[in-house]
Amino acid sequence: MKFTNKKVLVVGTGKSGVAAVRLLNKSGAEVIVLEGNTSFSTEEIISRFPKDAEFDLIIGELPEQKMNNIDFVILSPGVPTDLPFVVKLQEKNIPVWGEIELAYLCGAGKLFAITGTNGKTTSTYMMKHILEHAGNKVGLIGTIANYIGDKMIPTNMTTPEAIELFRLIKDMREGGCKYCLMEVSSHASAMGRVEGLNFSRGMFTNLTQDHMDYHKTFENYYNAKFKFIKGSKSTVINCDDKYGKKMLNTLHETTNDNKIVTSYGVEDGYVRAKNLDLQANGSSFDLYIGEDFKGKVKLHIPGLYNIYNALGVIGVLVVGGYVIVEDVIEGFDTMKAVAGRCERVYHDKMNCTVVVDYAHTPDGLENILETMKEVVKGKLITVFGCGGDRDKTKRPQMGSIAERYSDVTIVTSDNPRTEDPQKIINDILVGVSGNYEVINDRHLAIVKGMSLLKENDILMILGKGHEDYQIIGTEKIHFSDQEEVEKYIKEHQDD
């Protein structure tokens, strides 16, 4: 989009506002900067900007006459979207954006985001793979790492703080990325890290218990997710999930005709899977969009939940018109497992299999264990724990789920953080009564699980997935489930 001779209002004079002014100046816009905090002096505000920055500064309220000449509005992160003058401008059909969308409008790309308890990471990686298969350069912001094309940037947060987020998007834009894919956590939504951003497509996967230590109530958790979905230009929602149905009903009742709402599912949905074939090493299904059969989709990662992830991705990319169905079918057929997401790290001639997965919620645990229980020909052995300083109410639930599906359950430590590891294990054991063993040391727990493997058995090592560390106290120690398996195999290769 060209901003030459356009009058743009930038609200806020923090680092993000300064970056927006710099970008708009380069794009030829006429910039007005509004700072609502009247305690700042003109000199103090101007000192935040580069000396060559060009803008008119207003401190306090925006005069009524200024509203008539504004073409676009850029809100800094944290600036409420329901301010009276913002509402008035929106009523005049004046676009209101955040700096991140501005970066894309100035040079490249679409901004897609995914929220939900489970499936965010796998879904973004599916999108990235398909878009790249179709010839696009893609940026990704998520739990495992951030990417600018093939360049990986380490991260320790699912959704970064606003300033880092803007810097990443700016680098993606300058790096030629046409699309930016983002995981949006409930924390980020509740804290306003993505406030004011207008996502081209927002996808909702599912909602089950997690983060009660932060949100306190499930209603608060739901509202944080729905806040993001409601704010997206168009949405893609899992209608087989009961909270997805709730979102769809609310949106259909309150949304204007300009917002596109797409449903997906297995039981129902505009994007739908039929004739499912679930196997240990993957799955396939017939894809329908509306009433039309579009082709057979093959996934090389197992589980019904991954079919749901794939359907949501199809809703975003195909229904949105960004790729054709053939790109999706070919893309899925060439995609391997995401690191730490149902990742098969060992398989031998006796059909013994070891899988590492990030499952750290009751629903996530049940999804993957139910999937493996259906396909295992021998015993299902599970090694898992729960994180410290996090939602304690899910611990006995996860213990019960592990026992229900597993022939052998080994309860161990995850990231205990500042909690006593044994106390966390005791909380888990409230839900366990049958065949289990407690091994506090995660290394020894994995060794025990590996030693139990016999022909056709599957060992599930759950909770940490891609993580290459363990947090004990306040110290982060190197630890990788995958590396532990590799070390065991190397040490016992002559057995």
Side-chain angles (χ1 to χ4, degrees):
M1 177 175 287
K2 302 295 183 182
F3 285 91
T4 306
N5 299 324
K6 297 293 185 181
K7 188 166 287 188
V8 183
L9 173 67
V10 175
V11 184
T13 59
K15 290 183 179 180
S16 294
V18 171
V21 170
R22 188 184 300 120
L23 198 57
L24 287 164
N25 280 167
K26 288 180 180 179
S27 301
E30 183 181 340
V31 183
I32 300 171
V33 173
L34 176 66
E35 174 54 68
N37 190 339
T38 56
S39 65
F40 295 130
S41 67
T42 301
E43 292 74 17
E44 184 181 357
I45 294 171
I46 290 176
S47 69
R48 301 174 185 173
F49 292 81
K51 291 182 179 180
D52 59 350
E54 296 181 3
F55 59 91
D56 291 331
L57 177 62
I58 299 173
I59 301 176
E61 296 185 3
L62 182 68
E64 187 75 30
Q65 65 269 25
K66 289 285 186 181
M67 293 188 192
N68 299 325
N69 301 316
I70 292 171
D71 296 301
F72 306 99
V73 180
I74 310 298
L75 296 183
S76 293
V79 175
T81 56
D82 59 354
L83 291 173
F85 77 88
V86 175
V87 173
K88 283 185 180 180
L89 290 169
Q90 288 177 318
E91 288 173 351
K92 294 173 179 285
N93 293 320
I94 294 172
V96 177
W97 300 317
E99 292 96 330
I100 293 175
E101 189 176 26
L102 170 65
Y104 264 58
L105 289 167
C106 284
K110 296 289 183 181
L111 189 60
F112 302 153
I114 301 171
T115 197
T117 305
N118 298 306
K120 297 187 295 295
T121 298
T122 299
S123 297
T124 52
Y125 276 76
M126 284 178 169
M127 280 191 202
K128 186 175 189 291
H129 183 79
I130 291 167
L131 287 167
E132 289 176 339
H133 178 79
N136 302 289
K137 189 170 183 179
V138 180
L140 184 149
I141 297 170
T143 304
I144 297 178
N146 300 323
Y147 283 89
I148 300 176
D150 294 330
K151 179 185 175 184
M152 187 187 81
I153 303 167
T155 183
N156 58 6
M157 191 179 292
T158 298
T159 312
E161 297 290 351
I163 293 172
E164 182 187 351
L165 200 57
F166 178 60
R167 187 181 300 116
L168 273 169
I169 296 294
K170 179 176 177 291
D171 291 343
M172 289 175 185
R173 178 182 61 82
E174 292 177 350
C177 293
K178 187 176 180 180
Y179 297 93
C180 171
L181 315 176
M182 187 188 305
E183 294 181 46
V184 173
S185 67
S186 58
H187 291 73
S189 180
M191 292 176 180
R193 288 185 209 154
V194 293
E195 189 76 35
L197 306 185
N198 288 327
F199 292 94
S200 300
R201 305 282 278 178
M203 173 179 156
F204 171 78
T205 58
N206 50 65
L207 196 67
T208 58
Q209 182 175 336
D210 201 12
H211 304 305
M212 290 301 105
D213 53 309
Y214 175 79
H215 295 289
K216 306 305 180 189
T217 69
F218 200 86
E219 182 181 8
N220 290 342
Y221 185 36
Y222 170 84
N223 288 337
K225 296 293 188 185
F226 187 55
K227 178 183 178 183
F228 159 72
I229 287 295
K230 188 168 57 175
S232 299
K233 287 182 180 176
S234 60
T235 59
V236 180
I237 296 174
N238 177 2
C239 64
D240 287 350
D241 180 90
K242 68 177 182 179
Y243 294 101
K245 287 179 182 175
K246 181 178 177 180
M247 289 183 182
L248 284 166
N249 290 335
T250 304
L251 288 172
H252 286 314
E253 291 170 3
T254 61
T255 298
N256 61 42
D257 293 336
N258 295 324
K259 190 181 185 80
I260 300 170
V261 180
T262 302
S263 61
Y264 70 90
V266 172
E267 299 170 12
D268 199 2
Y270 181 70
V271 179
R272 192 172 179 185
K274 296 182 180 181
N275 302 320
L276 281 60
D277 182 17
L278 302 172
Q279 301 294 333
N281 60 351
S283 57
S284 65
F285 60 89
D286 291 341
L287 172 64
Y288 283 79
I289 298 179
E291 299 299 319
D292 300 328
F293 171 68
K294 296 295 184 179
K296 183 171 285 292
V297 177
K298 294 181 181 178
L299 303 177
H300 296 289
I301 45 178
L304 177 62
Y305 58 96
N306 278 318
I307 291 179
Y308 275 100
N309 292 334
L311 291 172
V313 168
I314 292 166
V316 171
L317 298 182
V318 177
V319 177
Y322 303 103
V323 299
I324 58 175
V325 171
E326 287 74 14
D327 289 327
V328 167
I329 293 173
E330 292 172 7
F332 279 131
D333 196 36
T334 58
M335 182 181 175
K336 306 304 179 186
V338 179
R341 267 58 177 182
C342 203
E343 180 184 5
R344 190 169 73 168
V345 295
Y346 176 68
H347 184 77
D348 66 13
K349 60 185 178 182
M350 294 178 63
N351 290 320
C352 294
T353 301
V354 181
V355 175
V356 170
D357 191 85
Y358 189 54
H360 62 286
T361 66
D363 184 62
L365 197 71
E366 184 160 24
N367 281 338
I368 193 161
L369 290 181
E370 183 179 27
T371 294
M372 292 304 168
K373 190 65 175 177
E374 289 176 354
V375 298
V376 66
K377 295 178 181 177
K379 289 185 176 180
L380 184 63
I381 305 162
T382 299
V383 175
F384 89 105
C386 291
D389 299 334
R390 297 293 186 268
D391 181 8
K392 297 179 181 180
T393 62
K394 67 183 181 181
R395 294 171 185 172
Q397 297 177 46
M398 293 176 68
S400 176
I401 291 166
E403 180 186 31
R404 188 185 320 145
Y405 291 100
S406 308
D407 297 292
V408 178
T409 303
I410 301 173
V411 183
T412 187
S413 187
D414 189 286
N415 290 321
R417 298 182 178 86
T418 63
E419 278 195 74
D420 177 0
Q422 188 58 51
K423 184 179 182 304
I424 298 171
I425 289 172
N426 291 342
D427 288 343
I428 294 170
L429 295 180
V430 171
V432 181
S433 59
N435 186 16
Y436 71 90
E437 185 171 353
V438 173
I439 304 177
N440 199 315
D441 186 311
R442 193 173 180 91
H443 159 73
L444 295 177
I446 292 173
V447 168
K448 177 68 174 185
M450 293 292 295
S451 71
L452 293 175
L453 277 173
K454 291 183 171 54
E455 187 173 2
N456 293 320
D457 289 350
I458 297 177
L459 170 62
M460 305 298 296
I461 305 174
L462 305 177
K464 293 180 61 58
H466 64 283
E467 294 178 351
D468 60 358
Y469 58 83
Q470 194 170 19
I471 304 173
I472 301 175
T474 57
E475 187 178 0
K476 185 180 280 190
I477 301 166
H478 181 80
F479 189 95
S480 164
D481 289 346
Q482 291 90 333
E483 290 175 11
E484 292 297 316
V485 173
E486 290 169 5
K487 281 190 288 187
Y488 181 91
I489 293 167
K490 185 175 288 187
E491 291 169 3
H492 295 80
Q493 58 187 353
D494 297 326
D495 290 2

